[in-house]
Amino acid sequence: MSKPRVTFFHAPQSRSAGTRALLEELGADYELHALNLKNGEQRQDAYLAINPMGKVPAIHHNGALVTEQPAVFIYLGDLYADAGMAPAIGDPLRGPYLRWLVFYGSCFEPAVTDKSLQREPAAPSTCGYGDYDTMLKTLTDQLEKGPWLLGDTFSTADVLWGTALNWTTMFKLVPELPVIRAYIDRVLARPGVQRAAALDAELVAAQSA
């Protein structure tokens, strides 16, 4: 039985670029709704009716709205389970897989935000991510085991982390350590990730015209 098409709300040069890369890697059937952030379309009533946060990515599928990057990645990985990019429940890798997807939103993003604003984290007893250095070491220790976050198993988590580390190293929010650079390069070499980058380059040009 065919799956209902995924509706994907997206803006190029934003965090949702990772979701587009994932959709391409999964070979997903999706309908693109592109937003122009420079024109403030994400803050207009039409989109706020979809996501009151005015954020991308968001997907709509089978009557359900899904926002928040880790949730979107978990949903799509399970929806396209045939692609083999999401360990199933019962697989020993399922727990680590979920761990790294959630670690991105709960630890990495807040730590990077604090770093970008040059503010100190809250006291360890009240700070959900601990501290930046511990967060980063936890990540790099896992990457050292390579080649992917789950060892030899490539998963949707790698698309999320590879694309996120690509932009955070560009903005100097994460140091371009050899282990991080090598990991980014492996993810960026994936055919679906490359297709998504090319499609987004075309979209940027169209929105700028």
Side-chain angles (χ1 to χ4, degrees):
M1 182 180 295
S2 62
K3 304 178 182 72
R5 201 174 199 203
V6 172
T7 302
F8 171 42
F9 299 92
H10 168 61
Q13 298 178 321
S14 76
R15 284 172 175 79
S16 69
T19 300
R20 189 167 206 182
L22 177 61
L23 287 162
E24 291 294 327
E25 279 288 324
L26 291 169
D29 178 25
Y30 66 95
E31 177 183 353
L32 178 69
H33 283 242
L35 301 172
N36 190 321
L37 300 188
K38 291 181 180 178
N39 290 345
E41 292 177 0
Q42 76 279 17
R43 298 296 177 188
Q44 295 175 4
D45 290 345
Y47 187 63
L48 292 177
I50 295 163
N51 183 2
M53 292 289 289
K55 299 283 189 179
V56 289
I59 61 170
H60 196 273
H61 174 259
N62 202 25
L65 173 69
V66 186
T67 66
E68 315 316 314
Q69 273 210 106
V72 170
F73 272 64
I74 292 168
Y75 189 96
L76 290 173
D78 289 343
L79 180 64
Y80 290 94
D82 292 348
M85 291 177 57
I89 293 176
D91 187 320
L93 291 176
R94 180 71 179 188
Y97 166 73
L98 293 175
R99 173 199 178 193
W100 288 109
L101 284 170
V102 174
F103 188 85
Y104 172 81
S106 64
C107 295
F108 180 79
E109 280 272 8
V112 165
T113 297
D114 277 349
K115 185 174 180 63
S116 71
L117 296 175
Q118 298 182 327
R119 65 189 182 194
E120 292 297 317
S125 61
T126 59
C127 184
Y129 73 80
D131 63 81
Y132 179 91
D133 290 338
T134 302
M135 177 281 298
L136 188 65
K137 185 176 187 305
T138 301
L139 173 63
T140 55
D141 284 352
Q142 187 70 17
L143 294 180
E144 289 283 3
K145 301 173 184 178
W148 308 113
L149 279 169
L150 303 181
D152 292 331
T153 301
F154 179 77
S155 73
T156 71
D158 293 302
V159 180
L160 175 62
W161 279 98
T163 53
L165 288 170
N166 186 43
W167 70 262
T168 51
T169 53
M170 278 195 268
F171 284 98
K172 310 300 183 185
L173 300 175
V174 171
E176 197 167 327
L177 304 173
V179 65
I180 292 177
R181 183 70 255 169
Y183 177 71
I184 293 170
D185 290 343
R186 285 194 294 275
V187 174
L188 296 186
R190 298 281 306 186
V193 176
Q194 293 189 349
R195 279 196 306 274
L199 290 168
D200 264 7
E202 293 175 4
L203 181 55
V204 169
Q207 291 185 341
S208 301

